[in-house]
Amino acid sequence: MERNARDDLQGLIFATLNLRYLRGLTIVPFGIWMALFPLLGHMTRWSQLGAGAGLLIATVLAVISTRRLNRHYDERYGRVEANHRRGFPGAGFGVWGAVFIVLTVQGVHGVPAVALWLAALFFGIYMSSSGYRWYYLVLAAVFAGLTPWWVGIGDWQAPLLGLAFALAGVMDHLLLRRLLPVHGESEAAPSVA
Amino acid sequence: MSLSPVVQPDKFVHEPARLAILTVLSGCKSAEFLFLQRATQLTKGNLSVQMSKLEEAGFIEIDKAFEGKKPVTSAALTAKGARALKQYWEAMDEIRRRGNGKRS
């Protein structure tokens, strides 16, 4: 009983500290946008619509969807004002993003393999440090495993990253739902007498 | 043989709903009523009552504002509330420490 109560309180603190980052569905449109990126690039081949116009429409749709999802989270879970600026997840995404920019610009051969592995390890451990977001460790391991073939997969780079973002977003959302379950208003709430 | 004084956690803070509210607020600058409701799983009525009690005790501050036409209530932990929560956990840790000492 005591252990459960403590676990619940730890979950509450985690959800409070990370609410902004647990609103995972907001990242899904961006992930889909990335996943569709190569498709948009080839759009001129099968449509009168130029690639630029397709990209613009997809970007606008992603932004609108993200804004709506943000509003949905506001209305469903309320908002929390953080009391301090946390490095999370900026540091994790920052390191990982920098690695992929270097990879894109220089190619995988321009980056020492050990740097890629360390970046993946840092990202995975950093994002899953609380124990609640273990799936970031799995995603990081998958990408670390993929790095030797990163150049070879060519057009699949952006879709893979996009799908990983979308998957992480869905997992974050499911975690939020588990930590802060939403019951019907008519459902009996615990007594506080 | 001398007996150490009995450690008493603050019963006001010990109440589960109030402890949950204080715990949530200890992790942020302020939180909206809706978030507190989701986090504590209390009904609106229960949450309002507990928040009022905490405000009366000086443990939290409640802010009522409007965003457009929509009323938004948020709460923040006061220094007194933060101190009470800290003392509560220190008392609980002390009780557990003494309990472990007796068992070993």
Side-chain angles (χ1 to χ4, degrees):
Chain A
M1 185 71 183
E2 185 199 349
R3 196 190 69 81
N4 286 340
R6 285 230 169 201
D7 284 351
D8 287 349
L9 290 177
Q10 280 177 355
L12 281 187
I13 291 172
F14 178 82
T16 306
L17 288 172
N18 299 295
L19 179 67
R20 190 174 152 197
Y21 311 115
L22 290 174
R23 296 154 63 119
L25 293 184
T26 54
I27 206 172
V28 171
F30 176 65
I32 294 172
W33 181 89
M34 277 186 83
L36 294 177
F37 197 78
L39 196 67
L40 294 166
H42 295 304
M43 197 171 255
T44 45
R45 290 180 190 170
W46 49 270
S47 168
Q48 296 294 316
L49 202 63
L55 189 65
L56 183 68
I57 290 170
T59 306
V60 169
L61 284 176
V63 170
I64 291 172
S65 304
T66 300
R67 285 174 65 95
R68 287 198 171 179
L69 286 163
N70 259 322
R71 202 181 315 147
H72 164 78
Y73 278 115
D74 284 350
E75 288 168 0
R76 199 164 179 84
Y77 292 97
R79 287 170 297 186
V80 161
E81 192 183 347
N83 57 3
H84 56 287
R85 291 177 70 84
R86 305 189 77 219
F88 173 93
F93 276 120
V95 169
W96 201 232
V99 166
F100 277 102
I101 288 169
V102 172
L103 274 177
T104 309
V105 174
Q106 274 193 280
V108 74
H109 300 300
V111 184
V114 68
L116 298 176
W117 281 88
L118 283 176
L121 196 69
F122 175 80
F123 177 79
I125 292 174
Y126 194 82
M127 298 295 277
S128 61
S129 57
S130 61
Y132 286 99
R133 302 169 101 201
W134 52 269
Y135 39 88
Y136 277 98
L137 206 54
V138 177
L139 284 174
V142 169
F143 276 94
L146 273 177
T147 47
W149 298 281
W150 194 250
V151 169
I153 59 176
D155 277 356
W156 289 98
Q157 291 172 354
L160 271 174
L161 274 174
L163 289 175
F165 273 127
L167 181 63
V170 170
M171 294 296 282
D172 280 342
H173 175 74
L174 293 176
L175 176 60
L176 178 65
R177 285 185 57 158
R178 186 167 66 82
L179 290 171
L180 305 177
V182 178
H183 300 300
E185 294 297 320
S186 57
E187 197 167 321
S191 166
V192 293
Chain B
M1 186 177 125
S2 65
L3 289 171
S4 51
V6 177
V7 179
Q8 289 275 7
D10 187 337
K11 284 181 183 171
F12 183 79
V13 177
H14 188 63
E15 198 285 326
R18 289 193 283 268
L19 180 58
I21 294 168
L22 291 172
T23 301
V24 169
L25 293 178
S26 70
C28 61
K29 197 171 179 182
S30 68
E32 286 184 4
F33 185 91
L34 180 58
F35 180 76
L36 285 168
Q37 197 187 347
R38 296 287 178 247
T40 59
Q41 300 289 298
L42 298 171
T43 60
K44 285 180 184 175
N46 265 335
L47 181 57
S48 289
V49 169
Q50 298 304 337
M51 283 173 69
S52 296
K53 286 181 180 176
L54 285 166
E55 188 183 31
E56 280 169 24
F59 287 1
I60 67 170
E61 279 174 356
I62 296 175
D63 179 57
K64 291 178 181 176
F66 278 89
E67 278 184 9
K69 290 180 179 176
K70 190 180 153 200
V72 178
T73 303
S74 57
L77 196 66
T78 61
K80 186 181 176 187
R83 209 163 41 244
L85 189 62
K86 184 171 177 280
Q87 285 168 354
Y88 169 80
W89 284 118
E90 283 171 356
M92 292 300 282
D93 286 342
E94 178 65 15
I95 289 168
R96 192 167 53 176
R97 193 182 62 77
R98 289 187 188 185
N100 288 341
K102 279 178 186 170
R103 275 202 290 273
S104 59

